[in-house]
Amino acid sequence: MLVLSRRLGESVVIGDDVVVTVLEVRGDVVRIGVDAPRSVPVRRQELLEEVAATNKQAASPSPQAVADLSRLVGSPATPKQPPTERPGQSS
């Protein structure tokens, strides 16, 4: 990890087309601006972590939920097949 000190109004350039600028400093809160092409996704890390946790939870149902669903669905009954007629036979 590269650690830099920047003052208000100063920027950091990432690659050829991403610029991160310090816009405001208030106590322990720093507002930054990110100027990047639309093709470059810029997301807050805490939101990505929250989405990942939500997806994991949704994909991993609780054992109780699985048991309840199994009880509701039950095992499907096997439909009986009518006897097949052979050529030359009549019923």
Side-chain angles (χ1 to χ4, degrees):
M1 174 187 300
L2 173 65
V3 179
L4 300 171
S5 296
R6 302 280 74 203
R7 297 186 193 284
L8 188 64
E10 293 181 334
S11 300
V12 174
V13 178
I14 301 171
D16 292 329
D17 50 7
V18 178
V19 179
V20 180
T21 305
V22 177
L23 301 176
E24 181 180 11
V25 179
R26 285 189 189 172
D28 62 347
V29 177
V30 178
R31 288 185 59 219
I32 59 171
V34 179
D35 186 14
R38 289 194 180 273
S39 62
V40 176
V42 178
R43 302 205 175 32
R44 297 185 338 207
Q45 182 177 354
E46 65 274 13
L47 292 181
L48 290 176
E49 291 169 356
E50 183 178 331
V51 167
T54 301
N55 288 344
K56 184 177 179 182
Q57 182 180 5
S60 304
S62 71
Q64 184 62 45
V66 172
D68 290 345
L69 183 59
S70 295
R71 185 173 34 78
L72 289 172
V73 173
S75 60
T78 306
K80 291 185 177 183
Q81 295 292 329
T84 57
E85 290 187 27
R86 292 183 186 160
Q89 290 182 337
S90 59
S91 19

